[in-house]
Amino acid sequence: MEPGGPEKQADDAAKKLENLKNGIREISHEINNPLGIIRMAVYFLQTTHPSEEKRTEYFKVIDEGLGRIEQSLQLLKALRENPSTVFPKFPLQR
Amino acid sequence: MQTTYKKPLSVGQVAEICRVSKKTVLNWIYDGGMKAFTTYGGHYRIWPANVKKFLDTTGMDIPFDFVDDRTTHILVIDDDHDFSNILKSAILADLPDVEVSTTDDGYEGLMMIGELKPQLVILDIKMPKIDGFQVLELLKTRKLEQDVKVLVITGYLDPETKQQLSKTVADHWMDKLTDINTMIKTIASYVRSEKPMFLSEDNR
C-alpha cells in the first residue's frame, strides 16, 4: 500500500497544480513587465527622433528587458521539469 | 483692494472670507459641499477654485478673486524603475505641461499623494512591502477628501485581478502591454477633463 493513500495523493496533486498555476501567473507577470517596457522603447525609437543619448538608453532598456524575459523563461523550464519548483521572490533580481 | 487667492486656504481663512464660523466651514467639508484635502499634519486646506465653486453653487454673494495655480500632477507608484521612467517619458512627450513624480514604494506613494495632491495616480499591483490592493484600501478615505483618480497599470490582468479591482476604489485598469497610444490617451483623459473618455465595461 502506498504511503499516504489516495487522499494524500490527491492533496499532493492539488498542491502541485496550485503551485504550477501560481508559478505561471507570477512568471507571466514577470514577462509582461519587460515586454511592456520594450514595446514603449520601440515606439519611441520608431516615432520620435531621439538623441544619441536617448537611443542608447532605449537600446539598453530593450536589452535588459530581454534579459529579464530570458530569466523568466528559465524558470518556466524549471517549472515544466518539476511542477513543485519553489519560486524565487518576485520581482526577479535585476 | 481685493485679495487674489492662489494658494490653498485654511479653514480659518475660508471662514473669514465667507463671514461664518470655522465650525460652519468644517460642516461644509464634512457634508461634502466644499471639497478639501488634508495636509500631512491632518489640517484641512481648500483650493481657491473649490471655494469659488462652493460660493457659486450655494449662491453666496461674496466677492472672491482667485487664480487657479494648481499644477497638473501625476504620481506613478511602481517598483519597476524601467517601466516608471519610460512611462514618465511617454506622458511628458504627450503632456509636456504635466508634472510626473515616481516612487517604487507604496507607503511613500501614500505620503506623496498627501503632499503633492496629484490629479492622477498610476498604480502597479505587484510590489514588495505593500501591494497595489493594500494601497487602494488605504486610499479609500483619501479619495473621499481629495479629487484623485487611480489608474491601475499592471503586468498581469487576469479575470481574477479584474474582479478584485472592481471592488476597490480604482477608477480604471489596464495591462502593461496595452497599446501605448491607448495608454497615453487614457492618462490624458483623466488629467484634462472631469470624466474619462476611455471606459469600457470590462475596465470599470
Side-chain angles (χ1 to χ4, degrees):
Chain A
M1 194 160 140
E2 286 196 29
E7 261 185 48
K8 185 165 187 314
Q9 282 174 22
D11 191 46
D12 286 347
K15 279 182 184 161
K16 274 186 187 165
L17 184 62
E18 196 56 38
N19 188 57
L20 195 62
K21 278 160 88 172
N22 287 338
I24 289 171
R25 188 186 172 158
E26 297 282 332
I27 292 170
S28 299
H29 181 270
E30 275 301 295
I31 289 174
N32 276 359
N33 269 10
L35 264 183
I37 293 163
I38 290 167
R39 258 207 191 159
M40 281 204 231
V42 167
Y43 172 82
F44 278 120
L45 285 164
Q46 284 177 328
T47 60
T48 65
H49 298 287
S51 63
E52 196 55 44
E53 198 188 323
K54 271 288 180 190
R55 279 168 59 87
T56 307
E57 196 185 305
Y58 291 140
F59 282 125
K60 183 170 177 247
V61 151
I62 289 171
D63 188 47
E64 283 174 359
L66 290 170
R68 284 169 64 183
I69 291 171
E70 204 180 348
Q71 260 189 306
S72 297
L73 288 172
Q74 292 301 329
L75 278 171
L76 256 182
K77 228 171 125 178
L79 189 63
R80 183 177 167 273
E81 279 154 21
N82 178 10
S84 303
T85 298
V86 174
F87 286 92
K89 203 170 151 66
F90 284 97
L92 298 173
Q93 289 303 311
R94 319 199 243 274
Chain B
M1 195 172 77
Q2 195 172 308
T3 310
T4 301
Y5 297 97
K6 276 170 79 171
K7 300 282 178 205
L9 301 164
S10 67
V11 168
Q13 284 174 302
V14 173
E16 208 178 300
I17 291 163
C18 300
R19 296 169 214 145
V20 298
S21 67
K22 283 190 201 176
K23 194 162 186 275
T24 301
V25 175
L26 284 170
N27 284 337
W28 290 340
I29 293 169
Y30 298 151
D31 291 342
M34 182 176 281
K35 216 173 244 183
F37 65 90
T38 47
T39 64
Y40 186 57
H43 303 289
Y44 281 114
R45 292 288 183 271
I46 305 102
W47 282 106
N50 287 331
V51 174
K52 178 71 176 147
K53 199 172 174 180
F54 178 82
L55 294 174
D56 289 344
T57 308
T58 53
M60 288 174 75
D61 186 21
I62 293 167
F64 183 76
D65 193 26
F66 76 102
V67 169
D68 200 349
D69 204 25
R70 291 174 292 180
T71 312
T72 303
H73 209 123
I74 296 174
L75 173 65
V76 180
I77 306 175
D78 195 316
D79 68 315
D80 191 327
H81 295 141
D82 290 337
F83 182 79
S84 297
N85 289 337
I86 206 158
L87 179 62
K88 181 174 175 175
S89 298
I91 294 169
L92 292 173
D94 204 64
L95 304 164
D97 54 342
V98 162
E99 279 197 42
V100 182
S101 299
T102 64
T103 178
D104 60 4
D105 184 314
Y107 285 120
E108 190 180 60
L110 287 163
M111 273 180 52
M112 288 170 83
I113 290 168
E115 287 164 6
L116 300 173
K117 309 287 175 282
Q119 280 69 38
L120 176 67
V121 172
I122 296 172
L123 177 67
D124 187 19
I125 293 293
K126 267 194 90 56
M127 293 186 290
K129 291 190 208 171
I130 174 175
D131 69 20
F133 286 114
Q134 290 169 298
V135 172
L136 286 164
E137 187 60 31
L138 291 165
L139 262 181
K140 263 187 190 164
T141 320
R142 176 71 63 179
K143 258 186 140 278
L144 292 171
E145 299 165 344
Q146 185 179 324
D147 191 16
V148 57
K149 300 294 181 196
V150 181
L151 168 63
V152 169
I153 301 184
T154 175
Y156 191 69
L157 196 60
D158 59 357
E160 196 185 297
T161 306
K162 285 183 190 177
Q163 165 119 71
Q164 268 185 282
L165 283 167
S166 69
K167 294 173 189 166
T168 69
V169 295
D171 295 279
H172 197 64
W173 42 87
M174 55 177 54
D175 199 289
K176 280 182 178 172
L177 292 182
T178 300
D179 166 64
I180 187 160
N181 284 314
T182 305
M183 200 182 277
I184 297 303
K185 275 183 185 166
T186 307
I187 291 168
S189 74
Y190 275 103
V191 297
R192 281 183 180 148
S193 61
E194 285 291 322
K195 282 198 173 212
M197 288 149 41
F198 298 92
L199 278 177
S200 71
E201 279 304 305
D202 204 30
N203 294 69
R204 175 44 96 197

